[in-house]
Amino acid sequence: MQEFFKKYAFGVCTRLGEKLNVPTSSIRLFFIYSSFLTFGSPVILYLGLAFIMNFRKLLRRRYNSLWYY
């Protein structure tokens, strides 16, 4: 189950943990607890961050392409 979430959870918590030098498990717990307390609004933030990260990855891949002029 944990491997499923690591593979399909977009890597937002891992990326934030690396940038902020904070354990990934602490960030995940923060998202879980804050989602329960605020009725899910951090989920919107999480999905927004996942979208931005994937978009940046797509742009990097596109500009590093062999066929880019």
Side-chain angles (χ1 to χ4, degrees):
M1 186 74 167
Q2 187 176 7
E3 294 300 320
F4 174 80
F5 282 112
K6 283 184 181 179
K7 186 176 180 182
Y8 295 107
F10 306 113
V12 174
C13 294
T14 304
R15 180 83 169 153
L16 282 174
E18 290 172 355
K19 287 286 188 181
L20 301 174
N21 200 19
V22 176
T24 305
S25 60
S26 298
I27 295 174
R28 286 186 181 126
L29 286 175
F30 171 76
F31 271 111
I32 291 168
Y33 292 146
S34 60
S35 293
F36 282 122
L37 293 175
T38 59
F39 303 109
S41 61
V43 173
I44 297 169
L45 174 68
Y46 185 89
L47 292 175
L49 288 171
F51 176 76
I52 291 169
M53 286 175 51
N54 285 334
F55 188 71
R56 290 181 69 197
K57 187 187 308 182
L58 176 70
L59 287 177
R60 269 189 257 124
R61 194 177 316 143
R62 183 175 178 187
Y63 290 126
N64 290 332
S65 173
L66 177 66
W67 303 108
Y68 180 70
Y69 296 102

